[in-house]
């Protein structure tokens, strides 16, 4: 490869040599010393100009750059500009996340805290900078949140007291983030909890206030004998039926209010064999011989929980099966062991429920057909009560139904709720 410095000097030297030789030639040809000297001088001037041209070129190009940067930025400049823009965007996003009202904590695969926003300081009680890098569940030890974090894939945690501000209520979710990191989100729901509490209190108070006047009205209606006033007999019977219905609605609302405020139930043995016998009797009394009723006790195991609430929930399902199955239908009450624990199910060959209603059945006053529910003496609160009772027993309700063919309502109990009839111990 040619050395640029070497070539920069070689050319002018060759040029000078050529001119000097030319000058000497001129002198020899003309015989005049002055002509030779003049030619050498011209040669030197040409050499000087050549050098000046070389030096001026870079100086001129440097002086043509505007002071605020190149008008046509190089690739490097463009890259730098993009990096600066990205850094600014990142900064903005971080500031936005930092100021969100929801607490956000970025956790690595071992639950070490990598980053958290301001709301995480107030709601979860994290402190900057000392809590960066700590293990979150250890930092929040002795809180409901810490035991929740122990779980391998925790379901969202609803309405728990905020570790950093115990008077506030939060909903917490853990989301997968990046390759192995996770994002903990905690939303302050104190306002909603307060409204929910007001609603609960209102319903409980109204129900309580209605109870006494309804009992009085019902009592007087019972005293009146329709045979004494035959022309008013149909009216009187209707008034009795409606006051009874109102009384039942009030009782169900009070039961629901009580269940909603409870966070645990009594831990008593609930012997299943006698309970199943009672449920059969209740079903037969309600059915009045219109259905064929079968009870299959395949589990030989008892439940642990509140006898009163469990009876209420399990009999609600039986009562629904009888009320929503036309005459001649079959009803099967089954108690059986499963891999997860035990199932109590009620299967009927009744009207069935269209699929789009299934997810809403446990809402208060939700009915597939209001007239059918009313005519059969329903309050629209039965399945709501079932759901709450099961929730308090860490059990769940599974509903399967085919319109025109029938339904199966199954209460799935976990192993921790089972008791062996002999040993009286949890299995
Ligand atoms: P209700 O007092 O109206 O029966 P529930 O909460 O017990 O209230 O049930 C809600 C609705 O679910 C009922 O109105 C009815 O439409 C439907 N349902 C419940 N059980 C059955 C069943 N076994 N077969 C068909 N529909 C049912």
């Amino acid at each position: 490869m040619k050395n640029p410095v070497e070539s920069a000097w070689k050319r002018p030297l060759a040029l000078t040599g050529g001119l000097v030789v030319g000058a000497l030639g001129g002198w020899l040809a003309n015989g005049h010393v002055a002509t030779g000297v003049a030619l050498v001088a011209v040669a030197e001037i040409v050499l000087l100009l050549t050098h000046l041209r070389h030096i001026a070129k870079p100086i001129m190009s440097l002086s043509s750059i505007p002071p605020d940067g190149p008008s046509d930025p190089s690739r490097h400049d463009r890259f730098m500009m993009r990096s600066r823009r990205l850094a600014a965007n990142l900064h903005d996003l971080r500031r936005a996340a930092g100021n969100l009202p929801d607490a956000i904590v970025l956790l690595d695969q071992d639950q070490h805290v990598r980053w958290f926003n301001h709301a995480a300081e107030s709601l979860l009680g994290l402190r900057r900078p000392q809590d960066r890098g700590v293990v979150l569940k250890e930092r929040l030890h002795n809180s409901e949140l810490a035991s929740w974090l122990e779980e391998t894939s925790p379901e969202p945690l609803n309405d728990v007291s905020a570790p950093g501000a115990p008077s506030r209520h939060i909903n917490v979710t853990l989301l997968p983030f990046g390759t192995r990191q996770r994002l903990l989100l905690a939303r302050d729901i104190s306002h909603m909890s307060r409204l929910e509490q007001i609603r609960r209190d209102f319903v409980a108070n109204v129900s309580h206030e209605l109870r006494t006047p309804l009992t009085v009205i019902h009592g007087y209606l019972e005293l009146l004998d329709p045979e004494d006033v035959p022309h008013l007999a149909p009216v009187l019977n209707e008034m009795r039926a409606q006051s009874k219905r109102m009384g039942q609605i009030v009782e169900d609302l009070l039961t629901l209010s009580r269940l909603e405020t409870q966070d645990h139930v009594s831990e008593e043995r609930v012997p299943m064999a006698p309970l199943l016998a009672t449920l059969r009797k209740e079903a037969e009394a309600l059915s009045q011989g219109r259905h064929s009723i079968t009870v299959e006790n395949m589990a030989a195991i008892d439940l642990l929980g509140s006898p009163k609430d469990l009876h209420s929930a399990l009999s609600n399902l039986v009562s629904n099966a009888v009320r929503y199955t036309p005459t001649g239908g079959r009803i099967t009450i089954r108690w059986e062991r499963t891999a997860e624990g035990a199932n109590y199910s009620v299967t009927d060959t009744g009207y069935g429920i269209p699929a789009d209603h299934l997810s809403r059945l446990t809402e208060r006053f939700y009915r597939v057909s209001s007239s059918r529910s009313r005519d059969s003496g329903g309050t629209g609160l039965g399945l709501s009560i079932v759901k709450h009772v099961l929730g308090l027993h860490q059990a769940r309700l599974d509903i399967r139904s085919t319109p025109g063919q029938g339904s199966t309502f199954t209460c799935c109990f976990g192993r921790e709720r089972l008791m062996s009839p002999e040993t009286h111990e949890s299995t």
Side-chain angles (χ1 to χ4, degrees):
M1 206 184 184
K2 267 188 178 177
N3 184 343
V5 177
E6 211 174 285
S7 60
W9 284 104
K10 262 185 182 166
R11 266 178 63 205
L13 261 176
L15 192 63
T16 311
L19 287 169
V20 170
V21 169
L24 283 173
W27 171 55
L28 284 174
N30 296 332
H32 296 294
V33 177
T35 312
V37 171
L39 280 172
V40 170
V42 168
E44 286 304 321
I45 287 166
V46 170
L47 182 66
L48 197 66
L49 284 174
T50 313
H51 273 295
L52 274 175
R53 224 186 90 228
H54 278 291
I55 294 165
K57 230 177 170 177
I59 290 174
M60 293 291 282
S61 68
L62 268 179
S63 60
S64 68
I65 296 173
D68 55 346
S71 56
D72 177 20
S74 65
R75 258 183 74 197
H76 174 259
D77 290 337
R78 278 203 301 274
F79 173 77
M80 290 304 288
M81 256 153 61
R82 214 171 299 145
S83 304
R84 273 197 293 275
R85 234 186 353 250
L86 277 176
N89 285 347
L90 200 65
H91 178 73
D92 287 349
L93 278 176
R94 237 175 128 114
R95 265 191 39 199
N99 290 315
L100 277 179
D102 293 345
I104 306 174
V105 185
L106 178 58
L107 300 169
D108 70 10
Q109 64 205 54
D110 301 316
Q111 290 205 4
H112 289 108
V113 173
R114 293 196 53 190
W115 177 85
F116 54 91
N117 66 353
H118 296 305
E121 294 180 55
S122 54
L123 290 177
L124 306 180
L126 297 182
R127 292 287 162 261
R128 225 175 282 268
Q130 61 266 40
D131 284 338
R132 281 222 178 103
V134 295
V135 178
L136 189 63
K137 64 179 175 223
E138 288 172 11
R139 173 66 180 75
L140 302 175
H141 69 105
N142 281 341
S143 71
E144 206 169 329
L145 210 60
S147 24
W148 177 75
L149 282 165
E150 301 272 355
E151 294 171 27
T152 30
S153 47
E155 290 288 307
L157 188 62
N158 289 331
D159 206 348
V160 285
S161 163
S167 63
R168 308 199 74 80
H169 290 247
I170 51 173
N171 278 357
V172 198
T173 321
L174 209 51
L175 303 170
F177 183 77
T179 40
R180 287 156 84 179
Q181 300 167 1
R182 286 196 285 179
L183 209 54
L184 181 136
L185 296 180
R187 168 160 294 182
D188 188 348
I189 51 145
S190 310
H191 183 62
M192 273 162 58
S193 302
R194 238 185 336 269
L195 288 177
E196 184 65 12
Q197 186 59 46
I198 292 169
R199 181 197 62 77
R200 275 201 292 263
D201 290 349
F202 175 76
V203 172
N205 291 338
V206 168
S207 314
H208 197 75
E209 292 300 321
L210 285 175
R211 196 187 216 173
T212 314
L214 273 174
T215 314
V216 173
I217 292 171
H218 194 68
Y220 281 127
L221 286 173
E222 287 294 317
L223 280 179
L224 291 173
D225 190 347
E227 283 182 9
D228 293 344
V229 273
H231 64 289
L232 288 180
V235 179
L236 213 56
N237 284 334
E238 181 64 15
M239 283 166 79
R240 275 183 183 179
Q242 292 301 336
S243 81
K244 194 170 161 215
R245 206 169 97 79
M246 276 166 79
Q248 191 54 53
I249 292 175
V250 166
E251 288 309 316
D252 280 359
L253 280 173
L254 284 170
T255 305
L256 257 183
S257 299
R258 176 179 60 78
L259 291 170
E260 276 180 335
T261 47
Q262 263 177 247
D263 54 7
H264 66 278
V265 280
S266 59
E267 306 277 301
E268 291 171 57
R269 168 182 292 277
V270 183
M272 282 305 281
L275 178 55
L276 290 169
T278 309
L279 292 170
R280 177 206 283 272
K281 275 193 202 134
E282 286 173 359
E284 283 168 351
L286 202 61
S287 161
Q288 297 283 311
R290 289 179 296 122
H291 309 95
S292 103
I293 296 162
T294 315
V295 175
E296 296 175 1
N297 184 359
M298 296 140 86
I301 198 101
D302 289 343
L303 273 174
L304 177 70
S306 157
K308 185 175 153 225
D309 292 335
L310 282 170
H311 176 205
S312 154
L314 306 190
S315 78
N316 248 311
L317 298 181
V318 174
S319 143
N320 280 354
V322 174
R323 289 189 296 118
Y324 298 111
T325 302
T327 302
R330 280 191 318 280
I331 292 162
T332 308
I333 302 168
R334 189 173 292 132
W335 176 232
E336 61 191 334
R337 295 290 294 253
T338 61
E340 292 79 33
N343 285 356
Y344 165 88
S345 63
V346 181
T347 303
D348 63 55
T349 55
Y351 303 116
I353 306 155
D356 50 333
H357 291 277
L358 291 182
S359 62
R360 301 196 57 192
L361 285 188
T362 55
E363 289 175 21
R364 286 178 199 87
F365 298 113
Y366 188 86
R367 289 143 165 151
V368 178
S369 154
S370 301
S371 57
R372 191 176 279 165
S373 163
R374 244 193 325 270
D375 293 348
S376 67
T379 61
L381 296 167
L383 290 181
S384 223
I385 292 175
V386 173
K387 185 184 132 186
H388 276 84
V389 170
L390 293 187
L392 286 167
H393 290 83
Q394 297 77 46
R396 65 181 171 81
L397 180 66
D398 180 72
I399 308 173
R400 287 169 198 225
S401 191
T402 310
Q405 288 185 23
S407 318
T408 298
F409 286 73
T410 308
C411 307
C412 311
F413 293 93
R415 245 182 244 120
E416 68 287 353
R417 283 283 162 195
L418 303 182
M419 285 181 98
S420 146
E422 295 84 28
T423 60
H424 287 216
E425 275 178 13
S426 182
T427 56

